[in-house]
Amino acid sequence: MVQTVRVRASGERERRDAAPEEPAPSSPAPGRAALKNAALRYSGMGRLLSFSRYFAFDLPRLTSGCGVLLLLGTATARLYQAITGYPADRPGYLTVCLVVLASGAFLAAVGVVAGVRRVLTRAGWALGSLVSTVSAVGYLAGRVAGLPGLPEVQGRWDHPLGTVTLILAGGFLALHASVLMGLNVAVPDTRHWHH
């Protein structure tokens, strides 16, 4: 038995017998979460990804507005590429892909500002990330390996509209990552710091 002494605010001492502490149960075998936490801890990525604990922004309208502008810029650039037909002898699948990407970016922009329901805004952000990823990967793959039926774009990094589209896609992906990590909040959410 262990005796503990506690002093009350009035100055009286109170003694009581405490039961011995039980040993901590042994930890279970490491699962997926434990392995993920260990990998994050040893690689240093855990510190990088946890910086949102130290600062965060409560500007949901600005965050959503920036997301919409980035998506509308992507939609406009892809639609312009589809309409102008650069290069003139490009295969038909590329025009279809550009129109699908422009439509997806426009629908994602509408979803991001839907604002009434969280399900719609989350779907808008997810669709925007999908469109941005496909757009960036398609551009990079076309410049590195070339596209079927369009070998002349391989190594052509000087196409300004493609570079702008790559920057817009990267900006949207970075913004969505900041929302997912909790650094920013999007329209239907707010931090309620004043409560």
Side-chain angles (χ1 to χ4, degrees):
M1 288 290 219
V2 177
Q3 283 191 348
T4 59
V5 176
R6 185 168 52 169
V7 178
R8 293 184 182 182
S10 63
E12 294 180 27
R13 289 183 173 206
E14 177 185 336
R15 291 180 190 229
R16 63 177 209 217
D17 294 333
E21 293 182 21
E22 296 179 15
S26 62
S27 61
R32 291 178 70 166
L35 290 175
K36 180 182 81 167
N37 290 337
L40 289 174
R41 183 175 54 247
Y42 290 122
S43 68
M45 289 301 293
R47 285 188 180 169
L48 178 67
L49 295 175
S50 68
F51 68 92
S52 64
R53 289 186 294 176
Y54 302 108
F55 63 93
F57 301 102
D58 189 23
L59 302 166
R61 290 185 182 144
L62 180 65
T63 302
S64 296
C66 287
V68 167
L69 288 177
L70 290 168
L71 286 171
L72 289 178
T74 301
T76 304
R78 292 303 182 192
L79 195 59
Y80 177 78
Q81 284 178 322
I83 291 171
T84 59
Y86 173 80
D89 58 342
R90 72 171 175 218
Y93 78 89
L94 188 59
T95 304
V96 171
C97 287
L98 291 172
V99 169
V100 167
L101 284 174
S103 302
F106 181 73
L107 286 174
V110 170
V112 166
V113 295
V116 178
R117 309 205 55 166
R118 281 194 174 92
V119 174
L120 293 176
T121 56
R122 287 182 181 156
W125 283 96
L127 180 61
S129 287
L130 177 68
V131 167
S132 296
T133 302
V134 169
S135 180
V137 167
Y139 177 75
L140 293 173
R143 296 312 182 261
V144 171
L147 295 172
L150 201 60
E152 62 266 13
V153 297
Q154 184 177 1
R156 292 283 317 263
W157 295 97
D158 60 343
H159 189 252
L161 194 56
T163 305
V164 167
T165 305
L166 184 66
I167 291 169
L168 291 171
F172 184 82
L173 289 171
L175 186 64
H176 189 207
S178 74
V179 170
L180 291 176
M181 288 189 315
L183 183 62
N184 282 313
V185 290
V187 156
D189 296 327
T190 185
R191 294 205 189 276
H192 300 293
W193 285 334
H194 57 281
H195 290 262

